[in-house]
Amino acid sequence: MDHECARLLPAVCAVLADPRQPVADDTCLEKLLDWFKTVTEAESSLLLLQENPCLLELLSHVPTLQDVSAGVLSFSLRLAGIFAAQEDCFQYLQVELLPGLFGAAGPLSRAVWAVPTVRSGWIQGLRSLAQHPSALHFLADHGAVDTVFSLQGDASLFVASAAGQLLVHILALSMGGRAEGHTCPQGDDWPTCAQKIVGHIEESLCSTDTSRVTQALNVLTTTFGRCQSPWTEVLWEQLSPLVARLLERDPVPAPHPLVDLLLCVARSPVLGSSDLGPWEMTAQALSRLGPTQAGPLALGVLKLHLCPQALRTQAFGVLLQPLACVLKATTQAPGLPGLLDGTSEDSVVADALLSSKSSCVGLLCRTLAHLEELQPLPQHPSPWPQVPLLRAVVTILRLCDGSAVPASSVGGCLCGTLAGCVRVQRAALDFLGTLSQGMGPQEQVTQVFAILLEYLERPDSSPMVLKKAFQATLRWLLSSARTPGCSGLGPHAVLFLPELFPVLQKRLCSPCWEVRDSALEFLTQLSRHWGGQADFRHVLLESEVPELTQQLLQDPESYVRASAVTAMGELSSRGLHATPTSPEQPEVQQSLLPEFLHILSADSEGFPRRAVMQVFTEWLRGGHADVARDTERFMATVLQVVSRDLDWEVRAQGLELALVFLGQTLGQPGPHCPYTVTLPKAAPPSPLTEVLGALCRVRLFEFAFRALFDCDRPVAQKSCDLLLFLRDKTAPYGSPWEAGGSPDSASVEAALQRWQAGEQGQPLGDLEPEAMLATLRSIDLEGLRGTLAQGSDHVEKSPQSLLRDMLATVGILQENQADCY
Amino acid sequence: MKIKKRFCHSYCLSGHPTLPCNVLKFKSTTIMLDCGLDMTSTLNFLPLPLVQSSRLSNLPDLSTVDVILISNYHCMMALPYITEHTGFSGTVYATEPTVQIGRLLMEELVNFIERVPKAQSASLWKNKDIQRLLPSPLKDAVEVSTWRRCYTMQEVNSALSKIQLVGYSQKIELFGAVQVTPLSSGYALGSSNWIIQSHYEKVSYVSGSSLLTTHPQPMDQASLKNSDVLVLTGLTQIPTANPDGMVGEFCSNLALTVRNGGNVLVPCYPSGVIYDLLECLYQYIDSAGLSSVPLYFISPVANSSLEFSQIFAEWLCHNKQSKVYLPEPPFPHAELIQTNKLKHYPSIHGDFSNDFRQPCVVFTGHPSLRFGDVVHFMELWGKSSLNTVIFTEPDFSYLEALAPYQPLAMKCIYCPIDTRLNFIQVSKLLKEVQPLHVVCPEQYTQPPPAQSHRTDLVIDCQPPATSYRRAEVLTLPFKRRYERIEIMPELADSLVPMEIKPGISLATVSAVLHTKDNKHVLQPPPRPAQPTSGKKRKRVSDDVPDCKVLKPLLSGSIPVEQFVQTLEKHGFSDIKVEDTAKGHIVLLQEAETLIQIEEDSTHIICDNDEMLRVRLRDLVLKFLQKF
């Protein structure tokens, strides 16, 4: 601890110990604790206490105060725990101080115990303290473990959860010495403390009180998740029969924690691979639990890398059951491949689907989400029932839009329940998109495209459902293009696109901005992937989509304008944007550049301006004709507009643009630079003088220097990186101009100092490259980079500042008190 | 006071659930609920020259209808047929906007029909022998001979003059028997649901209601609570279409057409959804870059409709009401008119032909495409695939409406906007309001024929709704048990209650029941008349019914064994007791006399021996308490 802190500390302790001076802000206590934690990590706690007796005074005084605030008491408990984590300090404190804080005579017996913060502080204090065997004796002597048992059922969830964690910690600590041994003793030979905790868990597992069962299961899950020592195997051997017995109860108590435990055990390298593996019990759980709880267990089982095949099959069956039920209820023609053919129908699943709308929707959404999560994993079940799954999802989507024809009373009921259900539609479209990875027979793919088109066309589709439908469509189009032997668009896409574009046109005209936005995003993706394909170009140019998109640059909604900018930028890069066809030059596109520059300088919202800058950067990278025609003029105009922008992201994007420009004029940035740009095979870099002349003409130096003192740190950092790159690139060319000396560079530096001081008004004027280069070399860019990396609040975060703030707050309070007299 | 049991009847006179016409007989009152005019049969005809009345001739005698309650302006189109041709002499109740806009709709209809000269009218086809040779659906139409010509403006005016204006929540006494109250139904300007209640019973009539936030005042649900019966009609005709989605569809298609240089035709009624569409376009056209496209509203009543909508502030939703205080016009179509974006004309003749500029959007009637200016535009624009007709009114099948114009090159978009309750909303409403019984058209109790698997498209309530169909008489599923009777204070003072069980006291009341205007009052009985003579006495007896000497009331039961013992004590012998289904018969064989003792009566049957009868009577009375 530094001298200044040591000087301030007594005053702070006095404030904390004085109930008349309440600490207004709890966060400063948290910060104080964090600071003490770092201090004790580096120094001896004992020494710290001896050098700063005010701390000991505080810790012994606070528990005796009658009207102590709960916050300060909790703070003291946690602070004492932090100090007592070191064994010598623990010994020093344990005689007098610790019993008064954590023993029966402490806050436990006082009214303030009713405040959850105090109970939480007590637990956290013990959690910090319990680091050495001596602590275990202390816990045993003061009956702390029994208190922790009772706190497991605390009304405050935070306290209850912390109590469970503490139990796990104590158990692991007391078993800690034995982890290294080759043979692990049986439960009877375990330390008393461990035996006590295990006994408590056993009792809880046999309890009829579900909350107690839940607590025990949670403690076990945390234990097995955290400790991989051999003793955990003994523990599982001892307790697994009790867990198995839970599965025989009807209904099974605490199903969710039970699933968590089984999965945790299965994942544990110690337990999962042993003979006592949880497989049998998991299989039993899969068949005993209801579909809602069995689903997550089945998913967990299927995600395991090592697992018996029979169990995997069973788990997959559980996962597929609801969809099988849907298929069965709607299949008109027998003979189509089903999911789970040959297995008997699970009436429990059917009941869950039919019992209520919320239960049906919940089960289907979870099932679809589980399968969606499973499909991309390498360990997903194989063979993957792609065909029936596609049928099931298409059926669900048809049930949702009311077009499915039910084949049974269950189907009729599903039809009524699912009609118009947005949640299921979203989940089904997400999963349908995922299924595009596997394709399917021609006929089925046609069906998929048909249902997607239906959803895109339906006036009733909610904006969110439409967005999902667009996403799924894109994925299916992409996968269609991956058909073997297919170059460009796939066979389905070629047929589908002419139907898709009229729908897209309509959606671009939607009065709902979310819909217009999703349609534009979809269009951007389409053009990015197929902008070069003749079929796609033909359909797009035949439609009114390009004109409509350009129209949306004037949309009243800023998000839509931003998406329209991105879409138009993409279309224009591909030579696809709309042109008012002039009879003289039918092939020439009208430049979008002026329109985009107008948005950049005039749009009142940040999003469209950011989008313009991204498009410009892409255009510069890709050598877009509008930019390449006169790159210097383009750069000069853009940088001038951007430097005045109020949105820091736009300014940062301006630096990105500048970096690309530098890369193209000076050669690619070296590996030290985090920004990599892909360049067209450009002509060899021009001589340095020319390049520097160009940089001066586009006023890149002025832009970057200004950004160096930007009030937003990311902009300043980016500018710093850019200037470092520039300095490194110009270094090998020698220094024809010595640093300093020139009157120009002096004026530049003076201007920079003014900027640093916050005066932004003064422009640099037209200056020669040499002055700029000299200035560049005179700035301590490395130092600046270091300062910027520290963060803007590094001064405010120091402990001195914290301590002073705490005192100042009290001071203000005192002043206010004085005013009252 | 329990005085009688009587049933309530409902007669259904319309097979169209959204154009209802029911007659409710409740207490002594006959109430007609709405008189919608089902015009779908016009679709059987070629455009223009033909229109016929609804089929109302086989109704019960409509001259006995006491009052007609109107829910909204769409449900009063048959009013002139009833008020002018049936001998109806009662009162019609409706809100002011309903009457004013209803008048506009009728005026437009009359105008559409009358301005097209008919050289002759064909009626031979109505001959049954010829009709059966006609193609379907004409050959299946029932009772075509009773179809009528469209009414005249004179009849409309006469019909409307019989309407009495009412405001929401206003309580209207009908003959003292029932009270009727209109409540906001949220569907259209001035649209109402009705509560018809007596002191002990409450019937709610919910017809054409909406829970969506559009221009009218929101629906009053709370007042519908505690109904014995809730009659539910006028639900959405397109339960699967969501109005928001349809408005979106409308705007998108309109924009696409106009951008391509095409014209948009919107066949519509001159009031209602058109206000919402104009409001939606007001926000949309600028953002879609369509500000320069003219909107035309052509109807003989276009001007009145646009102006009326702005003056009914108290009937509008809160948002629009508050605009009036700014002061701003509640509907933005005022601004559209001011900026010349929306223009309105009484017909295509005159100014319109000078101003007409294409591409444009035209709103005009009639939605059936059989008469009105819309016929002209269908013929003008039908040949070009650049143009689009967008159907927004849900009353007519758009395919049938288009049939006579085929082949047609113009695009047809069907986006029906029906803001009335859908089945999900009904189910929420019923859960909230919890009526004891729901009564509805049978169409609402089974899925639509084209979507028989949609079991969600029915009214789902407990107990299941009672359904009715056209021309059916339904006994409403509740019995009237009680009637309120007032007791005059002086009579109440004179009562002496006797406690017969703890907490239950009885008192006999001797009074005169005075009933006037369906109100019942118990008045003190007249003092025994002085035996005077002459005219004076006569006059008294005119006012008060004959009053006999009051006899006490008896209560209690006769224990047979004790009764027999008493008889024996009084010298009767040879007594025989027989048990019967209802009690006992005590047989005095010697005296040839029967005493029949039953639960609620005792008869002494003896032959011409009055002395004996009186003796026996006095013995019987000893066992009974007197009031």
Side-chain angles (χ1 to χ4, degrees), chain A residues 236 240 243 247 261-268 270-285 297 301 304 306-308 311:
Chain A
W236 177 239
S240 58
V243 177
L247 284 170
L261 174 64
L262 288 174
L263 287 174
C264 177
V265 171
R267 285 188 209 114
S268 157
V270 184
L271 307 174
S273 56
S274 74
D275 300 339
L276 296 161
W279 311 132
E280 200 179 315
M281 208 188 296
T282 308
Q284 198 191 350
L297 179 61
V301 167
L304 292 172
L306 287 171
C307 172
L311 186 62

Side-chain angles (χ1 to χ4, degrees), chain A residues 401-406 412-413 415-416 419 457 459-460 502 505-506 509-511 544 548 551 555-556, chain B residues 240-242 245-249 251-253 255-256 259-260 280 284 287-289 451 453-456:
Chain A
D401 76 0
S403 65
V405 182
C413 187
C415 198
E457 266 177 351
D460 281 0
Q505 255 165 237
K506 198 175 80 180
C509 295
S510 168
E544 292 158 54
L548 289 170
Q551 177 76 48
D555 200 274
Chain B
T240 52
N242 151 21
M246 288 302 162
V247 170
E249 194 75 1
C251 289
S252 311
N253 283 298
L256 278 174
R259 254 178 230 288
N260 267 336
C280 187
Y284 178 71
S287 72
Q451 289 165 298
H453 61 287
R454 292 294 297 270
T455 49
D456 55 320

